[in-house]
Amino acid sequence: MTDYSSNHSDGLRPATLLVHQGRDRDSFTGAATVPIYTASTYHQHGGRDGAYDYARSGNPSREQVEDAIALLEGGTAGFAYASGMAAIAGALALLDSGDHLLASSDLYGGSYRYLSTVLPRQGITVDFVDTTDAAKFAAAIRPETRAIFIETPSNPLFRITSLRAMVELAQHHNLLTILDNTFMTPLLLRPLELGVDVVVHSATKFLGGHSDLLAGLAVTADADLARRLKHYQNAAGNVLAPFDAFLLSRGMKTLKIRLEAAQAGAGVLAERLSQHPAVQQVLYPGLTDFPHRARHFAQSSGPGAVLSFILREPARVAGLLKRVRLPIIAPSLGGVETILTHCWSMSHAAVPDDVKASIGLSAGLLRLSVGIEDVEDLWRDLEQSLEG
Ligand SMILES: *Cc1c(COP(=O)(O)O)cnc(C)c1O
């Protein structure tokens, strides 16, 4: 078992924690990286419990990233899962049949799918509300409401929810707050410090950072929630495999320099796109005219490396996707390579068209996750693909 009580950052800063991750060498050999422990089971000396018994319950390779995310988010316990959706499912397993959940109306498409099609079959009712409006949110709380599930900035419309306002309401009504911190990462937003109960990540995105694995993480600073998350992770078995834990650990070591480079590039591209005649609007918290700029920077230390832009003529999306050369065109984000997503047909394909329309997601919107290529090459490519 992991000794969570030893999980403290010793005042180390994020760049250091990312590299050293709580355990930065193998305790057996001193190897500079934690080995990929593939064993499914562990010898119990004399039949007695050792530190590990069965790999679903605990594995040193997986624990490295679990400890790392706990340290980075300022939590006491981290959990690693086979995907971001598995982490979200693990966090939402804190709810019981008969409970009511409130969620941001503008969510990652896969989260929308899970909340709208799976949870109801478990007897959990879900309402999607505009969490950027505290009054609307408060009006949606029912006696059986147990939790809220939030994304900020929301994806892909960059609506900003005030976490302080949400946490205050949630604490007043005794609701659990769960936040998907995939877009910001613990380097730009530390929700547990603002009173959020459980933070989840699709580590497939920025934390892994190389578009070469699926992984999910959950973190909490509450001992009882940690115990329940651990119980479900072990009982359901949706754990991160050791090889993928190794890839994630390796990716996390460079998160700070990757994110800083990508964020700088995103700032340049957001500015230039917003001045391009073919572009109607750019949604990016780093722009001076971004509507919720002050609210975003009251809780986050940077704008991130993802932006959305809306074409004046949605019919030109197809031509742009044909002409663009550098970005991969795919439903993901957070990689070293720039990723361009047509959310309507890719990341949010699981959201019915009328729901997309009702939340303001249009067919002319493109999401750009800026990578770490040379920004001038990216701009030249975007510019040529916006012509014609
Ligand atoms: C990708 C993503 C998820 C789902 O993560 P997977 O690793 O693909 O399962 C959840 N939330 C957000 C914000 C995402 O971008």
Side-chain angles (χ1 to χ4, degrees), residues 83-86 88 108 111 151 155 180 182-183 202-205 214-216 333:
S83 69
M85 287 318 305
I88 289 169
Y108 171 69
S111 301
E151 270 181 39
N155 172 17
D180 183 335
T182 300
F183 265 51
S202 171
T204 307
K205 315 294 168 57
L214 278 178
L333 56 102

Side-chain angles (χ1 to χ4, degrees), residues 32-154:
T33 56
V34 174
I36 304 169
Y37 284 94
T38 58
S40 57
T41 193
Y42 291 81
H43 177 59
Q44 308 297 303
H45 302 277
R48 282 207 320 273
D49 268 3
Y52 299 98
D53 53 18
Y54 191 69
R56 175 164 26 77
S57 317
N59 168 288
S61 308
R62 190 174 88 224
E63 279 173 9
Q64 183 184 20
V65 292
E66 295 184 323
D67 290 352
I69 197 65
L71 290 168
L72 283 161
E73 289 281 8
T76 50
F79 303 93
Y81 304 85
S83 69
M85 287 318 305
I88 289 169
L92 291 171
L94 293 165
L95 297 178
D96 290 316
S97 175
D99 287 352
H100 174 239
L101 171 71
L102 287 172
S104 303
S105 50
D106 168 24
L107 284 183
Y108 171 69
S111 301
Y112 178 84
R113 173 169 47 212
Y114 191 79
L115 269 59
S116 62
T117 66
V118 178
L119 287 187
R121 296 179 50 215
Q122 300 171 352
I124 296 163
T125 51
V126 184
D127 276 317
F128 296 92
V129 288
D130 181 0
T131 48
T132 66
D133 183 333
K136 253 191 217 163
F137 176 80
I141 297 172
R142 301 199 224 142
E144 63 276 21
T145 308
R146 285 289 166 275
I148 41 175
F149 182 80
I150 314 168
E151 270 181 39
T152 185
S154 70

Side-chain angles (χ1 to χ4, degrees), residues 8 98 136 190 204 223 233 247 275 277 292-293 322:
H8 54 82
K136 253 191 217 163
R190 309 217 333 143
T204 307
Q233 184 199 36
L247 281 177
Q275 279 154 28
H292 283 150
R293 192 181 151 87
K322 231 178 253 148

Side-chain angles (χ1 to χ4, degrees), residues 71-360:
L71 290 168
L72 283 161
E73 289 281 8
T76 50
F79 303 93
Y81 304 85
S83 69
M85 287 318 305
I88 289 169
L92 291 171
L94 293 165
L95 297 178
D96 290 316
S97 175
D99 287 352
H100 174 239
L101 171 71
L102 287 172
S104 303
S105 50
D106 168 24
L107 284 183
Y108 171 69
S111 301
Y112 178 84
R113 173 169 47 212
Y114 191 79
L115 269 59
S116 62
T117 66
V118 178
L119 287 187
R121 296 179 50 215
Q122 300 171 352
I124 296 163
T125 51
V126 184
D127 276 317
F128 296 92
V129 288
D130 181 0
T131 48
T132 66
D133 183 333
K136 253 191 217 163
F137 176 80
I141 297 172
R142 301 199 224 142
E144 63 276 21
T145 308
R146 285 289 166 275
I148 41 175
F149 182 80
I150 314 168
E151 270 181 39
T152 185
S154 70
N155 172 17
L157 294 167
F158 289 85
R159 300 218 169 101
I160 308 299
T161 294
S162 164
L163 293 181
R164 287 184 184 87
M166 281 302 112
V167 164
E168 195 183 308
L169 267 170
Q171 288 177 347
H172 182 72
H173 294 274
N174 208 13
L175 312 180
L176 191 68
T177 43
I178 305 170
L179 180 100
D180 183 335
N181 200 21
T182 300
F183 265 51
M184 288 287 99
T185 82
L187 295 185
L188 302 180
L189 176 61
R190 309 217 333 143
L192 296 181
E193 289 173 359
L194 299 173
V196 166
D197 296 305
V198 179
V199 173
V200 291
H201 286 278
S202 171
T204 307
K205 315 294 168 57
F206 286 103
L207 296 173
H210 296 73
S211 304
D212 57 5
L213 89 143
L214 278 178
L217 296 167
V219 200
T220 184
D222 179 280
D224 184 53
L225 292 175
R227 187 186 52 71
R228 291 162 62 198
L229 287 166
K230 174 80 196 171
H231 174 83
Y232 181 81
Q233 184 199 36
N234 183 40
N238 48 358
V239 292
L240 186 64
F243 184 74
D244 294 347
F246 163 77
L247 281 177
L248 176 56
S249 159
R250 182 181 163 99
M252 284 172 75
K253 290 179 185 180
T254 55
L255 174 65
K256 185 158 187 285
I257 53 173
R258 283 188 286 107
L259 186 62
E260 283 173 359
Q263 182 172 254
V268 172
L269 296 180
E271 205 59 66
R272 293 186 190 173
L273 281 168
S274 65
Q275 279 154 28
H276 195 284
V279 174
Q280 182 183 65
Q281 198 188 357
V282 177
L283 308 172
Y284 183 60
L287 291 173
T288 45
D289 62 354
F290 179 73
H292 283 150
R293 192 181 151 87
R295 188 187 287 177
H296 178 78
F297 283 99
Q299 60 196 17
S300 307
S301 59
V306 186
L307 60 92
S308 291
F309 61 101
I310 302 166
L311 296 186
R312 273 188 210 288
E313 297 169 47
R316 287 171 68 170
V317 166
L320 185 149
L321 293 179
K322 231 178 253 148
R323 278 188 294 275
V324 76
R325 304 169 84 115
L326 283 177
I328 65 164
I329 301 169
S332 193
L333 56 102
V336 288
E337 63 287 289
T338 296
I339 302 173
L340 184 64
T341 310
H342 183 232
C343 294
W344 182 276
S345 64
M346 297 174 186
S347 60
H348 290 65
V351 181
D353 287 359
D354 58 320
V355 176
K356 285 189 278 210
S358 75
I359 60 171

